[in-house]
């Protein structure tokens, strides 16, 4: 996790984190013209920063090559608390370790294209981290559908940039998708579209609902990759 070397973050107790999270965060005026590209020196432990020569100001060091990061220039920053368990997660699990038990069967099958495999792994991790950010469970479901779409486009001739709805229909008509798979994908597509277009807001899927849906995405990807092309 990136930390501003000039502002060390002190450890925060859970009680303090909860208190900090309840406090209103300072407003940050973000704009591209307030972001400056600067580069690290080899002395970040002492809080020293070098900048490109053309934007250096008095007192700033020369630019070392190939060590870079983004830094805000003159922006108000906020100090976010360390993650604390979301109390809603305790309706389903007792501890973060229990989240691993929920996702331990979500193994990325062999033979899956790396693009889809990466998305599935991310969806699995989002489920685990929903212990701290409950809404991540919904994001995990939406993300897992991306993996199915990637594989589906590989399996359907002439998929191109067709929307998912047409891909599902074409896959069902061609027998690439079973009726069960098509029904699930269309249900997930409707949820995704509702959120993307603002028709469904603040949607939260509890882990008890999200895990089976992500598991189904894993299963469909596995079945599509295992079936003869």
């Amino acid at each position: 996790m990136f930390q501003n070397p000039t502002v060390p973050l002190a450890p925060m107790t859970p009680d303090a984190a909860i208190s900090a999270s309840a406090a209103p965060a300072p407003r940050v005026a973000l704009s591209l013209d307030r972001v400056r590209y600067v580069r690290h020196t080899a002395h970040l432990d002492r809080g020293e920063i070098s900048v490109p020569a053309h934007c250096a100001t008095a007192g700033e060091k020369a630019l070392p090559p190939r060590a870079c990061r983004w830094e805000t220039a003159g922006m108000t920053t906020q100090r976010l608390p360390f993650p604390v368990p979301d109390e809603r997660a305790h309706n389903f699990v007792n501890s973060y370790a229990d989240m691993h038990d929920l996702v331990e069967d979500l193994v990325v099958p062999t033979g899956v294209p790396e693009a889809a495999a990466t998305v599935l792994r991310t969806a699995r991790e989002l489920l685990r981290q929903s212990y701290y950010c409950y809404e991540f469970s919904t994001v995990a479901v939406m993300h897992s559908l991306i993996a199915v779409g990637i594989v589906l486009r590989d399996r359907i001739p002439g998929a191109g940039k067709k929307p998912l709805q047409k891909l599902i229909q074409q896959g069902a008509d061609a027998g690439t998708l079973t009726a069960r798979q098509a029904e699930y994908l269309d249900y997930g597509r409707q949820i995704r579209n509702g959120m993307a277009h603002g028709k469904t807001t603040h949607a939260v899927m509890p882990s008890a609902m999200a895990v089976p849906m992500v598991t189904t995405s894993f299963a469909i990807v596995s079945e599509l990759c295992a079936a003869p092309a």
Side-chain angles (χ1 to χ4, degrees), residues 144-145 148-149 152 164-165 167-168 177-192 216-217 220 224:
S144 70
L145 288 171
V148 179
L152 198 55
L164 184 57
Q165 183 178 14
L167 287 179
I168 295 170
L177 292 172
T178 65
R180 177 188 61 82
Q181 292 171 338
E183 181 182 5
Y184 162 77
L185 289 176
D186 194 60
Y187 175 65
R189 178 192 65 80
Q190 293 179 54
I191 296 176
R192 183 202 64 180
T216 303
S217 290
I220 292 177
L224 288 173

Side-chain angles (χ1 to χ4, degrees), residues 91-168:
N91 293 326
F92 306 97
V93 297
N94 294 320
S95 67
Y96 178 67
D98 295 335
M99 299 301 293
H100 177 74
D101 296 335
L102 288 179
V103 303
E104 63 180 348
D105 293 331
L106 297 179
V107 179
V108 178
T110 57
V112 174
E114 184 56 31
T118 298
V119 173
L120 288 177
R121 285 191 288 266
T122 301
R124 181 180 61 199
E125 190 60 26
L126 283 166
L127 278 178
R128 286 208 308 151
Q129 299 308 320
S130 67
Y131 181 74
Y132 295 106
C133 182
Y134 200 63
E135 289 74 12
F136 277 2
S137 60
T138 305
V139 182
V141 173
M142 302 299 101
H143 214 63
S144 70
L145 288 171
I146 296 174
V148 179
I150 292 172
V151 175
L152 198 55
R153 289 183 188 282
D154 282 344
R155 306 290 295 184
I156 295 180
K161 295 184 179 180
K162 292 179 181 178
L164 184 57
Q165 183 178 14
K166 290 187 176 181
L167 287 179
I168 295 170

Side-chain angles (χ1 to χ4, degrees), residues 65-82:
R66 297 189 183 87
C68 56
R69 71 175 175 88
W70 290 95
E71 183 182 78
T72 57
M75 288 176 56
T76 302
T77 59
Q78 60 180 321
R79 188 179 189 177
L80 298 176
F82 285 98

Side-chain angles (χ1 to χ4, degrees), residues 2-10 44 47 49 69 71 77-79:
F2 173 77
Q3 296 184 12
N4 186 333
T6 62
V7 184
L9 297 179
L44 285 182
I49 297 178
R69 71 175 175 88
E71 183 182 78
T77 59
Q78 60 180 321
R79 188 179 189 177

Side-chain angles (χ1 to χ4, degrees), residues 20-41:
S21 64
R27 299 189 63 174
V28 181
L30 291 175
S31 61
L32 289 178
D33 61 345
R34 293 174 65 84
V35 178
R36 182 176 52 172
Y37 189 61
V38 300
R39 298 198 174 187
H40 286 296
T41 68

